[in-house]
Amino acid sequence: MTQVVLGENEGIDSALRRFKRQVSKAGILADVKYHRHFETPIEKRKRKAVAARRTRRFK
């Protein structure tokens, strides 16, 4: 769960920027996009294979 605590003299704009940064760092939006619609087993295998290739390449 991502949350932002406002400082005493902090504006809502800077708090919103911090919140957006934390959400993008946590990968919440990417996860929502993956689960937005039904994924067939073939699509799921393809996605996992691409992710595995990506992680192998960066190690």
Side-chain angles (χ1 to χ4, degrees):
M1 181 99 177
T2 302
Q3 53 179 264
V4 174
V5 179
L6 284 175
E8 207 167 302
N9 292 327
E10 185 179 15
I12 191 73
D13 293 332
S14 63
L16 187 60
R17 267 196 308 271
R18 282 195 302 133
F19 176 74
K20 286 181 179 179
R21 196 175 318 123
Q22 286 180 0
V23 166
S24 67
K25 242 182 188 178
I28 295 171
L29 290 180
D31 191 44
V32 168
K33 285 180 185 177
Y34 278 135
H35 294 96
R36 185 172 289 179
H37 61 86
F38 178 74
E39 210 174 23
T40 63
I42 293 172
E43 289 173 335
K44 193 180 291 188
R45 262 185 260 132
K46 283 182 182 178
R47 179 177 50 83
K48 286 186 178 181
V50 168
R53 267 187 255 128
R54 191 176 301 133
T55 56
R56 266 188 265 131
R57 186 173 47 171
F58 288 123
K59 281 189 176 183

